Amino acid sequence: MNETTQRRAEIFDEADAAQMRRVTELRTSGAMILDTLADQQHSLLTLNEESDADDVAESSRWIHYPWRRTLVHLLGPGGFCRLRLDRNRNKITNEEQLILSRLRVGIVGLSVGSAIAHALALEGVVGYMRLADFDDLDLSNLNRLSATVFDLGVNKATLAQQRIAELDPYLPVDAWTEGVDEATIDDFLEGLDLVIEECDSFDVKVLVRDRARQRGIPVIMETSDRGLLDVERFDLEPARPLFHGLVGHLDAATVSGLSVREKIPFGLRILEGREISVRMAASILEVGATLATWPQLGGDVLLGGASVVAAIRRFGLGEALPSGRVRIDIGEHLDQLSDPRIPQDSITSGTGGGSCPIDLRAQYDSLSDTQAVAFAATRAPSGGNAQPWIIHTDDTALTLRIDTTRSSSVDIEYRGSFVALGAALHNARVAAAHRHILGDTVITGDGPVTSARITFTVGTDISLTHQLPGMLDRRTHRGMPDTDPNRCDLTDVAHLAASLSSTTAGVHLIQDRDTIARLAENISATDRIRFLTNALHREMISELRWPHSHDLTRGIEVSSLGTPTAELAALELLRRPDVMEQLNNWDAGQALRAETRTRLNSSDAVAVITQQGTSSAEYIRSGALAEEFWIRVQSLGYSVHPLTPVSLYATNADHLRTLAPTRAHDLAALADELTKLTALHTGEHATLIVRIFRTAIPAPTSRRQAARETYS
């Protein structure tokens, strides 16, 4: 090995007395001192992850850089690596960083190769580098190498080694200052996992590939023209021809006897003359005339470093990286510049106020009696504003049944749809009482064929009639309160809850802050599972409607979410399944809980509508109770926001496994805890959970589809 050793960094362990004597000698000999260890230790302890105790307790090191005549005090290897690479996460996870740190990479040619070596060290994606270049730094190299005039005359491999040592003194780097040739290439390749070839000599290009192929070592090259990245996977294809066969079956012996002129056609075929940039192609024709050699730009070299490192990350992590080549042409991409401004009707144009005001009372008053009753039914709430009902009216009755095509995964056995049907039934009864045509109400059947029927006859109910204004004005408010929960008197709500409760269904009002906090943790945890489970996430996002959507009569308008305008852009990330899949792979996504946790904890109270039994009729009756409670609470001056935890309508383990196959165990634990927090009596089931709060900011009015009459 032809390595320069006198210009390597020296590492001294502070826990070793003998080594510290050498540090003392260097101090007394006039070495400059840079000691920021206390700051480094503080930063290590404040990382957003729990630092390993061994890293914190690890002895520090003194690093001597002889070419700078400087001693630097640093954290030990473990703490240094953890702190220096902390900002890699989660582009590179800790586990991936560990895998990549075992890679052993060689680089031949340290002009373009210098940028690659530095980028590899920056990202910490290799555990060892071997660098080969016989050339010394010339002033003409300073248009593309990260060096200075103080480095003129220093070997390029040594310069790269020193630059890396100043970045990470713990990364082993060997500098081969005489380059490689026929006699040394095998020693250079020994023990490497991958080699990067960036040299000017055509003979060496062939030699490196020829011997790498014999050893099953992949070769990567970047040409600094139109961002050409070239990969030859000799580890996977031991018989693959060099340079992808662009120059036939070439080997080191074939080119050794060729003259410079005879090699030119081979080089042009490798570069694919038709693909070379116009300026590079024209410049090649000027070499030897007006140019001494072909041009290279610093920006292109830096781009090459980035693309090669990205390829090596894939290789090291076992991701897809086949043999072949690709051009990452910045010029072509700049030709595709486009205006990114989002249309005025996009999500960021919303102010949180929702759609334009709708005069529901005027619409209601303009309708005939039977039409008014059907219209009132359509104003009922439903999960995701799916409106899962079919409404039929004639002169004698209004009949409601569920539309099974509008069900979702969390709507287990259509229970959520039946709750919505119950709310629609209550609204219809309110309108029928107001129009003095309220007759008997009958629920028949079970399961999907269940129907609810209101007979039209002369009749009314004063308590229902009084609810008409509140029913038409009932809204979902997903915003935040403007009062202190600890000062809000909820006596009126508590009385209302008690008056509506019976032995078969009721309203459980929760005001205890600790219980609300536990509910916030529980429900936000199920929200995280909803985001991270592909099918559930897809359904949830499909419920959202942006202002430019063609149909705003179903689903939830994003402007009604109560999300500040500045934060609405985050929805573009939350709606992406690939982002959720990545978070799921990391078992991350705790931030997905934040909004639900904050909103629940800020509530004045949480109300749980409960029931005994799980028949369709019981869910319908509980849905009607929930709607009446909602209308009357809002009439008292409160805002209401319903919450549907993923497991709300699950009653057995099979339901949970169907909802979230990979997280059924976690969901089961959350479901058990939710039952304990919401059920007052054995066998009681939660029908709906709502947060209650005061705010002066009005909620938007949701749009609805017209009543659908599909059978007689």
Side-chain angles (χ1 to χ4, degrees):
M1 181 175 68
N2 47 11
E3 179 187 359
T4 299
T5 58
Q6 68 272 21
R7 296 176 70 90
R8 292 174 67 95
E10 300 174 277
I11 302 176
F12 304 106
D13 189 337
E14 195 167 50
D16 187 309
Q19 294 186 29
M20 288 307 295
R21 283 195 291 272
R22 171 61 178 154
V23 171
T24 301
E25 292 174 3
L26 290 168
R27 281 176 176 270
T28 57
S29 67
M32 292 187 291
I33 306 298
L34 178 59
D35 187 352
T36 62
L37 182 64
D39 292 338
Q40 298 168 41
Q41 291 171 331
H42 174 74
S43 296
L44 179 63
L45 289 170
T46 56
L47 294 183
N48 286 334
E49 67 167 350
E50 186 176 339
S51 296
D52 190 285
D54 291 339
D55 292 337
V56 176
E58 185 182 30
S59 62
S60 62
R61 304 292 195 274
W62 284 94
I63 317 298
H64 179 226
Y65 295 95
W67 58 93
R68 287 188 177 272
R69 300 191 69 242
T70 300
L71 277 166
V72 181
H73 203 183
L74 296 176
L75 293 167
F80 180 89
C81 179
R82 184 180 291 272
L83 179 57
R84 190 181 79 80
L85 300 178
D86 179 65
R87 291 295 295 274
N88 280 4
R89 298 184 302 130
N90 279 325
K91 285 288 193 77
I92 304 173
T93 66
N94 289 337
E95 294 75 15
E96 290 170 337
Q97 201 86 58
L98 180 61
I99 293 169
L100 293 169
S101 70
R102 302 186 184 110
L103 280 180
R104 296 172 61 85
V105 173
I107 303 177
V108 180
L110 270 300
S111 290
V112 173
S114 177
I116 296 170
H118 191 249
L120 287 169
L122 271 176
E123 293 190 9
V125 296
V126 294
Y128 168 78
M129 275 192 277
R130 191 175 292 157
L131 312 177
D133 199 314
F134 66 88
D135 200 13
D136 295 339
L137 185 73
D138 182 80
L139 187 58
S140 65
N141 301 139
L142 291 183
N143 76 318
R144 61 194 185 280
L145 266 73
S146 292
T148 72
V149 293
F150 294 97
D151 301 312
L152 293 174
V154 178
N155 174 264
K156 292 179 182 177
T158 297
L159 274 178
Q161 180 190 47
Q162 291 176 351
R163 189 180 182 209
I164 292 169
E166 292 180 6
L167 173 69
D168 184 352
Y170 301 117
L171 177 61
V173 179
D174 288 333
W176 287 47
T177 57
E178 295 179 14
V180 294
D181 56 22
E182 186 77 31
T184 60
I185 184 62
D186 289 317
D187 287 340
F188 180 84
L189 295 174
E190 181 65 32
L192 296 182
D193 298 306
L194 181 144
V195 65
I196 300 158
E197 183 279 300
E198 297 294 343
C199 61
D200 294 336
S201 167
F202 184 65
D203 291 37
V204 177
K205 285 180 177 292
V206 176
L207 176 64
V208 168
R209 284 169 176 77
D210 188 29
R211 298 302 172 83
R213 181 174 60 180
Q214 292 177 24
R215 290 172 172 266
I217 299 174
V219 177
I220 292 180
M221 172 183 69
E222 210 286 335
T223 67
S224 299
D225 181 63
R226 293 193 60 216
L228 174 62
L229 177 71
D230 188 274
V231 179
E232 295 170 279
R233 292 299 299 268
F234 298 126
D235 54 327
L236 303 178
E237 304 167 86
R240 186 177 185 82
L242 306 188
F243 301 107
H244 315 288
L246 291 171
V247 289
H249 289 280
L250 198 66
D251 57 27
T254 304
V255 301
S256 62
L258 298 179
S259 66
V260 173
R261 180 175 292 276
E262 290 171 326
K263 295 173 185 174
I264 291 176
F266 288 104
L268 290 176
R269 284 157 64 186
I270 291 169
L271 293 175
E272 296 179 284
R274 66 183 181 280
E275 299 291 346
I276 299 173
S277 68
V278 173
R279 288 180 180 248
M280 176 62 86
S283 297
I284 289 174
L285 297 177
E286 287 296 297
V287 172
T290 61
L291 296 176
T293 186
W294 56 83
Q296 287 181 306
L297 297 177
D300 291 341
V301 169
L302 293 175
L303 172 64
S307 59
V308 170
V309 173
I312 290 176
R313 284 200 306 269
R314 286 196 170 205
F315 169 77
L317 296 174
E319 298 173 353
L321 186 72
S323 294
R325 52 177 46 178
V326 64
R327 286 175 171 82
I328 306 169
D329 190 338
I330 296 298
E332 280 189 2
H333 289 293
L334 292 176
D335 288 338
Q336 299 169 21
L337 283 171
S338 60
D339 193 336
R341 288 179 296 181
I342 304 175
Q344 291 302 304
D345 61 350
S346 71
I347 64 169
T348 55
S349 66
T351 61
S355 53
C356 295
I358 303 171
D359 190 342
L360 296 174
R361 185 58 189 260
Q363 292 184 41
Y364 172 83
D365 289 340
S366 69
L367 299 172
S368 68
D369 290 345
T370 57
Q371 290 174 331
V373 174
F375 174 78
T378 66
R379 297 307 308 168
S382 56
N385 195 20
Q387 304 164 52
W389 45 65
I390 296 171
I391 303 172
H392 174 69
T393 57
D394 56 29
D395 292 338
T396 64
L398 173 142
T399 304
L400 292 164
R401 66 183 178 89
I402 62 168
D403 183 348
T404 58
T405 66
R406 294 194 172 179
S407 183
S408 65
S409 297
V410 297
D411 185 19
I412 297 168
E413 297 181 1
Y414 307 111
R415 290 167 179 166
S417 292
F418 288 124
V419 172
L421 198 69
L425 178 64
H426 180 77
N427 282 6
R429 283 172 48 79
V430 169
H434 179 260
R435 294 296 181 104
H436 297 275
I437 58 172
L438 176 63
D440 293 334
T441 299
V442 179
I443 300 172
T444 59
D446 194 31
V449 297
T450 302
S451 65
R453 178 182 175 88
I454 301 174
T455 302
F456 294 149
T457 187
V458 177
T460 188
D461 182 315
I462 297 300
S463 66
L464 289 175
T465 300
H466 287 166
Q467 294 180 39
L468 181 75
M471 180 270 290
L472 291 174
D473 191 46
R474 185 214 53 79
R475 309 177 187 197
T476 294
H477 202 311
R478 300 178 178 87
M480 297 289 287
D482 51 18
T483 59
D484 182 348
N486 296 313
R487 295 201 305 266
C488 188
D489 184 357
L490 292 155
T491 303
D492 48 0
V493 178
H495 287 322
L496 174 63
S499 69
L500 292 176
S501 297
S502 68
T503 57
T504 58
V507 182
H508 175 203
L509 189 65
I510 302 172
Q511 301 181 65
D512 175 66
R513 302 315 305 175
D514 180 63
T515 304
I516 291 175
R518 291 169 62 192
L519 274 172
E521 291 303 309
N522 182 283
I523 296 176
S524 67
T526 68
D527 273 3
R528 173 176 174 266
I529 290 175
R530 192 193 299 255
F531 273 106
L532 299 184
T533 302
N534 182 55
L536 298 178
H537 174 259
R538 185 172 60 250
E539 289 180 344
M540 176 175 59
I541 296 303
S542 70
E543 295 172 354
L544 298 181
R545 296 291 182 271
W546 272 255
H548 59 270
S549 300
H550 295 300
D551 181 14
L552 296 175
T553 60
R554 287 182 60 217
I556 302 170
E557 293 185 58
V558 296
S559 57
S560 73
L561 294 177
T563 303
T565 301
E567 299 176 16
L568 281 174
L571 282 175
E572 296 291 354
L573 305 182
L574 296 177
R575 71 192 294 197
R576 288 177 53 179
D578 56 340
V579 174
M580 296 303 109
E581 181 182 9
Q582 184 64 76
L583 289 172
N584 185 54
N585 292 340
W586 291 339
D587 193 24
Q590 292 300 324
L592 302 173
R593 304 173 57 181
E595 190 164 312
T596 296
R597 181 193 282 127
T598 299
R599 289 181 176 180
L600 265 167
N601 279 320
S602 69
S603 303
D604 296 331
V606 173
V608 184
I609 290 78
T610 61
Q611 66 188 54
Q612 292 286 338
T614 58
S615 70
S616 303
E618 285 164 325
Y619 278 104
I620 291 174
R621 282 190 284 267
S622 293
L625 173 64
E627 177 72 343
E628 181 174 4
F629 176 74
W630 189 333
I631 291 168
R632 294 176 65 177
V633 165
Q634 187 173 299
S635 297
L636 291 172
Y638 296 92
S639 293
V640 177
H641 177 196
L643 300 163
T644 308
V646 171
S647 62
L648 185 64
Y649 300 120
T651 53
N652 59 55
D654 287 339
H655 291 158
L656 300 176
R657 282 191 289 270
T658 301
L659 283 170
T662 63
R663 295 182 180 271
H665 178 75
D666 294 340
L667 199 54
L670 291 167
D672 289 343
E673 183 187 30
L674 185 64
T675 298
K676 294 174 184 177
L677 292 171
T678 57
L680 291 178
H681 308 289
T682 302
E684 198 170 50
H685 301 276
T687 304
L688 193 66
I689 300 173
V690 298
R691 53 185 286 256
I692 300 169
F693 59 96
R694 284 192 184 275
T695 178
I697 301 173
T701 301
S702 298
R703 290 176 247 198
R704 292 288 192 277
Q705 289 193 324
R708 300 188 304 288
E709 302 186 19
T710 62
Y711 74 100
S712 301

